[in-house]
Amino acid sequence: MKHVVLILGILISFQFSSAQFGGEFKPNYDESKVPEFEVPNPLKSFRKRKIKNVRQWEKIRRPELLDFFTHNVYGKIPGELKIESWEVVEQSNNALNGKARRKQVDLIFSKNGHRLFFNILIYLPKNVEKAPVFLGYNFYGNHTVTNDVHVRISEAWARNNPSFGIIHNQLTEQSRGVRENRWQLEKILDAGYGLATIFYCEVDPDKDDFSNGIHPLLYTDGQQRPAYNEWGAIAAWTWGLSRAMDYFEQDDEVDENKVIVFGHSRLGKTALWAGATDQRFAAVISNNSGCGGAALSKRRFGETVARINRSFPHWFCRNFMIFNQNEESLPVDQHELIALIAPRPVYVASAKEDLWADPKGEFLSAYYASPVYNLYEKEGIPSKEMPDVNQPVQNTVAYHIRTGKHDVTEFDWEHYILWADKELFNK
Ligand code: GTR
């Protein structure tokens, strides 16, 4: 009898979890099936106090929101770890046919008997003394962003992608330049900006395994994986972006007050969290960041909290799983992540065919974050109506939806540059 009960119990819980985590998960793409929900008010504290000015926002509301996202969504970074040393492993004043200066810099860390280093590839425009830079992670190695033969190939673990010649989780020469379109390096340099990029798996390999990357350097004795409220991979990647920022503060060729953190998709989620947690970033760009990024979770349109936690159990902190199929009980939503970036400029971009990332939910987040920007007398998104395709709305909060799929395109970069010129240089 006992056994029957046990087996029944296992069967029921299996049923429950496969329904919850969706063996047959079907994303909702029907606007009429979006559940009704109340958008949490960024200007009302958890204790229902009205937030009327910048002082109350910064003293009461911002800290409690930051705390909520830290302990329940992305996870807290359990300690401090400074750059132990850095080394310029390669440089040239005549890169890209004389157009740019190039540097490849290793940042080195060690603690608890573990050592970690990651490399920043930096291109700077030649005619600018202290350059503003776009900083962003890449998915398949620094050598994929350009055809420049001098860019080193990382030896870190990489996700397999046979079409890029990546098998056995090792990067190869075959993928040099394959992501050139996504970076538009020449355009960036011509506009007077630098580009700095890091292969994200050097900071933390993108897999459900907490024994590698940066995590073990900050474990307590005997710890094997982060606690429920501690950092998943997204927070680990943001840690890396902040260390890149530490480095820029020491590099005379970079204007550390004009670093724009950029990311696509999971790395767009990362850029937003980096901007929220590290106020040294001057501006933030979220390209097609979707669920757990710019999109409102409560809409459950496309990818959902349960689905993302099931497919990528290592991205968020484990506490976030409490909200699997339970988005209504979230006391926050992702517009408040964007609000944490205020008053610094933030750009949310969607793609028409990228329904999985919920373009409308991304737009609405930018819209609902805007009252916080207004407290600072900055202009956000003025209307709840989505703009037409390929018609950017560019204020301190900016948004566009372009034609095409989940990707980063020339159109995206053209508009990011125009907006950065306006927001950071009043051009
Ligand atoms: C998808 C994931 C998205 C997005 C994307 C990416 O598989 O469901 O949340 O982050 O990956 O990073 O390319």
Side-chain angles (χ1 to χ4, degrees):
M1 185 59 193
K2 230 169 147 188
H3 285 111
V4 176
V5 173
L6 187 71
I7 289 168
L8 250 168
I10 292 172
L11 278 175
I12 290 170
S13 72
F14 177 73
Q15 272 266 310
F16 175 74
S17 64
S18 68
Q20 180 177 23
F21 296 125
E24 350 81 41
F25 173 78
K26 284 205 187 64
N28 173 42
Y29 291 136
D30 179 348
E31 200 54 44
S32 73
K33 294 206 176 104
V34 168
E36 279 202 16
F37 63 91
E38 207 177 305
V39 181
N41 185 347
L43 296 183
K44 198 183 240 176
S45 76
F46 290 140
R47 300 167 107 181
K48 309 255 176 295
R49 178 156 169 202
K50 265 199 173 158
I51 303 300
K52 294 190 223 95
N53 51 46
V54 167
R55 195 180 54 84
Q56 292 171 345
W57 165 257
E58 289 182 356
K59 247 194 113 189
I60 302 164
R61 187 59 170 152
R62 190 179 189 280
E64 69 175 18
L65 285 172
L66 189 61
D67 190 72
F68 186 88
F69 280 101
T70 300
H71 292 277
N72 300 285
V73 183
Y74 303 101
K76 116 175 182 237
I77 298 177
E80 258 197 57
L81 184 55
K82 297 211 164 99
I83 302 174
E84 184 178 278
S85 61
W86 47 268
E87 190 188 344
V88 179
V89 292
E90 190 274 345
Q91 65 181 321
S92 162
N93 284 328
N94 247 331
L96 307 175
N97 298 321
K99 184 174 255 196
R101 287 169 288 158
R102 179 187 61 236
K103 277 198 255 198
Q104 302 184 66
V105 186
D106 278 348
L107 304 190
I108 300 150
F109 304 86
S110 61
K111 200 169 174 171
N112 286 347
H114 293 271
R115 189 180 135 90
L116 177 94
F117 73 89
F118 63 85
N119 184 271
I120 318 179
L121 166 66
I122 307 169
Y123 285 100
L124 298 167
K126 257 193 161 169
N127 50 352
V128 183
E129 217 178 276
K130 225 171 153 37
V133 302
F134 289 97
L135 165 69
Y137 279 118
N138 60 72
F139 283 84
Y140 290 109
N142 295 348
H143 71 301
T144 60
V145 313
T146 161
N147 271 308
D148 183 345
V149 296
H150 300 285
V151 177
R152 299 194 165 189
I153 300 180
S154 171
E155 287 174 8
W157 181 95
R159 285 182 303 130
N160 282 336
N161 184 335
S163 69
F164 289 172
I166 307 167
I167 48 170
H168 309 307
N169 305 109
Q170 283 304 303
L171 300 173
T172 64
E173 185 61 41
Q174 199 185 318
S175 43
R176 188 175 298 280
V178 289
R179 283 287 165 82
E180 230 186 354
N181 280 348
R182 284 197 175 185
W183 293 90
Q184 301 293 324
L185 180 53
E186 304 250 332
K187 258 203 174 70
I188 292 170
L189 291 164
D190 287 344
Y193 293 83
L195 175 68
T197 188
I198 303 162
F199 174 41
Y200 79 136
C201 290
E202 288 197 347
V203 176
D204 190 28
D206 191 1
K207 55 180 174 177
D208 188 17
D209 171 356
F210 288 100
S211 66
N212 47 26
I214 181 59
H215 288 101
L217 280 79
L218 290 176
Y219 282 158
T220 52
D221 265 356
Q223 192 177 1
Q224 304 276 327
R225 60 175 303 176
Y228 279 83
N229 70 337
E230 285 180 349
W231 51 347
I234 292 175
W237 297 323
T238 64
W239 173 87
L241 293 170
S242 289
R243 300 298 70 79
M245 190 65 183
D246 295 344
Y247 166 77
F248 294 147
E249 288 181 330
Q250 304 181 41
D251 184 331
D252 289 341
E253 296 182 313
V254 170
D255 183 349
E256 72 271 22
N257 296 313
K258 290 198 168 55
V259 177
I260 305 155
V261 62
F262 156 86
H264 169 62
S265 207
R266 69 197 67 182
L267 301 175
K269 309 180 209 296
T270 304
L272 288 169
W273 185 232
T277 51
D278 190 334
Q279 296 184 293
R280 295 174 298 172
F281 291 115
V284 181
I285 300 170
S286 142
N287 193 92
N288 308 177
S289 63
C291 180
L296 290 177
S297 302
K298 290 175 191 277
R299 280 170 49 79
R300 299 185 179 196
F301 189 101
E303 189 171 31
T304 63
V305 171
R307 176 56 203 248
I308 204 167
N309 280 329
R310 174 184 163 234
S311 322
F312 306 102
H314 58 294
W315 281 1
F316 299 88
C317 70
R318 277 186 283 166
N319 276 346
F320 194 41
M321 296 193 184
I322 296 168
F323 302 102
N324 286 350
Q325 289 213 314
N326 187 20
E327 288 88 343
E328 62 281 4
S329 71
L330 266 169
V332 302
D333 211 331
Q334 297 302 107
H335 60 302
E336 290 166 319
L337 167 68
I338 294 173
L340 290 174
I341 298 165
R344 292 160 296 146
V346 61
Y347 202 134
V348 175
S350 309
K352 184 87 201 299
E353 292 166 36
D354 187 19
L355 294 181
W356 182 245
D358 186 13
K360 184 163 183 193
E362 294 177 321
F363 168 74
L364 287 174
S365 263
Y367 171 74
Y368 286 123
S370 297
V372 177
Y373 279 80
N374 299 154
L375 281 186
Y376 289 92
E377 291 174 14
K378 300 278 181 192
E379 205 177 339
I381 302 292
S383 157
K384 207 179 158 184
E385 282 303 301
M386 266 179 98
D388 287 342
V389 173
N390 300 333
Q391 297 295 320
V393 179
Q394 297 198 334
N395 294 315
T396 302
V397 184
Y399 177 82
H400 73 231
I401 176 166
R402 61 154 170 79
T403 41
K405 58 183 175 56
H406 190 69
D407 198 358
V408 194
T409 67
E410 197 173 345
F411 176 94
D412 294 319
W413 276 110
E414 272 168 13
H415 292 283
Y416 297 152
I417 291 168
L418 281 173
W419 168 78
D421 280 351
K422 181 169 152 243
E423 291 297 324
L424 300 184
F425 294 94
N426 277 321
K427 276 196 209 159

